[in-house]
């Protein structure tokens, strides 16, 4: 709580920007379209966007009846931030609560090792602030420079990963994210849950790459939850039927069944009022319908073993 006390009486209103940033990118086959920009902290749009999101979590934490408590968000917030504690909840904070609940409900029903993959802006405090069960392995995929900045600040305020859990980072800039996840211990024969919030998705192609990675690694029945920028749909967000059709096609082509969640319906269930005005993101939950690459490899190995055993029995009879 030390990082909260620093800014307890601070005064400015922070907002999350929906601006799309353009970066020079490098494309490789099935290895992604990832940012390669070199900027300093003062003009780094990714860092500033992550700080804006942390500011919203910081303000939500200080409301009389907060959706969640983030005891570490304050260590990212400038000392002159101004508090806006009106009764309305920001859509981003509502989505944060929605994703938190889905993550914890899911991992608490997984036996043995629990794998969580967070696709984030680099300042996601979920690995530290959520009550993860024993034997949870958390993978964070985010911009390297933002993550390093965040890790230093979190270490400075004494943030700790829950005991008996593991936290591993994979740089978003890597051209081999899938391979890096596996090298760090991700097991496609074990259940997992994936969440995306704040990840700088620059193009539709880069999000399709994300879906490909998840589809390759996640077991049948695993969940992918989070929020996406609405501009990805290339449709008017107000036209729900068109957006839903686009989402269904995109996710199903990668092996997922997807459901869109209404921010208004979620806020109503939680007894909260949303901040007036548009919010250009889509809240969703998707289920993996395919088998992971590891599951398929295990199945092929088992099939080969059975065939070889059958051949041996046949020779014995002869």
């Amino acid at each position: 709580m030390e990082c909260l006390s620093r800014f307890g009486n601070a005064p400015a209103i922070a907002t999350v920007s929906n601006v799309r940033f353009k970066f020079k990118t490098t494309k490789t086959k099935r290895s992604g379209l990832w940012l390669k920009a070199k900027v300093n902290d003062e003009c780094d749009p990714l860092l500033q966007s992550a700080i804006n999101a942390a500011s919203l979590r910081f303000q939500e934490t200080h409301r009389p009846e907060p959706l969640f408590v983030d005891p570490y968000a304050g260590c990212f917030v400038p000392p002159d931030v101004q508090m806006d504690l009106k009764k309305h909840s920001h859509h981003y904070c509502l989505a944060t609560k929605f994703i938190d609940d889905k993550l914890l409900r899911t991992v608490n029903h997984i036996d043995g090792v629990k794998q969580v993959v967070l696709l984030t802006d680099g300042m996601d405090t979920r690995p530290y602030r959520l009550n993860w069960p024993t034997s949870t392995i958390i993978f964070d995929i985010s911009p390297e420079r933002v993550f390093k900045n965040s890790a230093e600040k979190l270490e400075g305020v004494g943030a700790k990963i829950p005991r008996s859990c593991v936290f591993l980072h994979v740089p978003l800039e890597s051209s081999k994210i899938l391979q890096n996840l596996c090298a760090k211990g991700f097991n496609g024969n074990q259940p997992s849950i994936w969440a995306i919030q704040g990840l700088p998705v620059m193009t539709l192609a880069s999000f399709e790459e994300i879906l490909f990675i998840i589809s390759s690694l996640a077991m049948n029945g695993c969940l992918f939850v989070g929020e996406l920028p609405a501009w990805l749909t290339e449709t008017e967000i107000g036209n729900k039927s068109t957006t839903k059709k686009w989402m269904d096609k995109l996710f199903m082509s990668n092996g997922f069944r997807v459901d869109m969640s209404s921010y208004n319906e979620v806020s109503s269930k939680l007894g909260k009022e949303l901040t007036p005005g548009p919010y250009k993101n889509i809240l969703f939950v998707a289920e993996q319908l395919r088998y992971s690459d590891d599951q398929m490899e295990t199945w092929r190995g088992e099939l080969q073993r059975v065939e070889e055993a059958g051949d041996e029995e046949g020779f014995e009879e002869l």
Side-chain angles (χ1 to χ4, degrees):
M1 298 300 289
E2 176 186 347
C3 53
L4 288 182
S5 62
R6 284 183 57 199
F7 309 104
N9 299 315
I13 299 173
T15 58
V16 170
S17 171
N18 287 314
V19 176
R20 278 185 270 172
F21 307 112
K22 295 182 179 179
F23 296 89
K24 179 181 178 182
T25 58
T26 300
K27 182 177 180 180
T28 57
K29 185 178 181 181
R30 284 303 184 191
S31 62
L33 289 164
W34 306 121
L35 54 152
K36 299 294 183 181
K38 293 183 179 179
V39 291
N40 57 39
D41 288 356
E42 290 74 20
C43 61
D44 185 345
L46 299 185
L47 180 61
Q48 294 307 312
S49 180
I51 291 173
N52 288 342
S55 297
L56 290 176
R57 299 197 304 272
F58 175 68
Q59 293 178 67
E60 181 64 36
T61 296
H62 282 78
R63 295 182 187 280
E65 296 181 1
L67 286 163
F68 56 84
V69 173
D70 186 342
Y72 306 112
C75 67
F76 306 129
V77 178
D80 60 346
V81 69
Q82 196 172 51
M83 302 300 290
D84 177 17
L85 302 181
K86 296 178 182 178
K87 65 178 181 178
H88 297 99
S89 295
H90 196 282
H91 291 71
Y92 167 82
C93 293
L94 188 80
T96 300
K97 169 65 174 175
F98 179 85
I99 297 168
D100 286 355
D101 290 349
K102 185 66 69 173
L103 285 169
L104 290 179
R105 278 199 300 267
T106 302
V107 296
N108 278 302
H109 285 86
I110 295 176
D111 294 328
V113 175
K114 305 138 192 3
Q115 300 180 118
V116 178
V117 184
L118 305 175
L119 299 114
T120 78
D121 57 19
M123 286 189 177
D124 193 332
T125 58
R126 287 186 175 96
Y128 302 90
R129 66 179 175 80
L130 294 186
N131 187 25
W132 300 106
T134 300
S135 302
T136 300
I137 303 176
I138 306 163
F139 301 88
D140 174 273
I141 301 173
S142 63
E144 177 76 0
R145 62 183 182 269
V146 181
F147 180 83
K148 286 184 175 179
N149 182 296
S150 168
E152 290 176 3
K153 288 181 168 58
L154 288 166
E155 182 179 0
V157 298
K160 301 289 186 183
I161 303 300
R163 189 172 298 177
S164 300
C165 295
V166 177
F167 182 37
L168 302 165
H169 174 63
V170 174
L172 177 64
E173 295 84 354
S174 170
S175 62
K176 298 181 179 180
I177 291 178
L178 189 154
Q179 294 90 333
N180 287 346
L181 277 168
C182 294
K184 287 181 178 290
F186 186 91
N187 187 343
N189 279 315
Q190 294 288 337
S192 60
I193 180 168
W194 302 65
I196 182 170
Q197 188 180 33
L199 186 81
V201 178
M202 303 300 172
T203 64
L204 176 58
S206 64
F207 181 66
E208 290 178 326
E209 184 66 26
I210 290 169
L211 283 176
F212 170 78
I213 290 171
I214 301 173
S215 182
S216 299
L217 296 178
M219 284 181 65
N220 174 260
C222 289
L223 297 182
F224 178 31
V225 58
E227 56 177 357
L228 299 176
W231 60 260
L232 281 177
T233 67
E234 300 178 346
T235 65
E236 291 296 328
I237 186 61
N239 189 341
K240 186 173 181 180
S241 60
T242 303
T243 302
K244 187 179 187 309
K245 183 178 179 180
W246 184 92
M247 290 279 286
D248 286 341
K249 180 179 179 181
L250 174 64
F251 277 80
M252 187 58 73
S253 65
N254 287 277
F256 294 91
R257 178 174 56 234
V258 65
D259 290 316
M260 295 167 55
S261 297
S262 164
Y263 288 91
N264 288 325
E265 290 178 4
V266 174
S267 65
S268 178
K269 290 179 181 178
L270 294 172
K272 299 292 184 180
E273 293 183 43
L274 282 173
T275 301
Y279 182 65
K280 298 181 180 180
N281 279 345
I282 300 170
L283 192 62
F284 73 93
V285 178
E287 180 183 359
Q288 164 75 298
L289 302 180
R290 297 175 180 170
Y291 291 100
S292 69
D293 290 352
D294 281 353
Q295 283 183 296
M296 291 300 297
E297 189 63 31
T298 299
W299 179 81
R300 282 191 289 267
E302 183 64 19
L303 180 62
Q304 182 178 357
R305 187 192 65 78
V306 170
E307 290 177 344
E308 291 175 350
D311 290 342
E312 291 176 0
E313 291 174 1
F315 279 118
E316 287 176 2
E317 290 176 1
L318 293 175

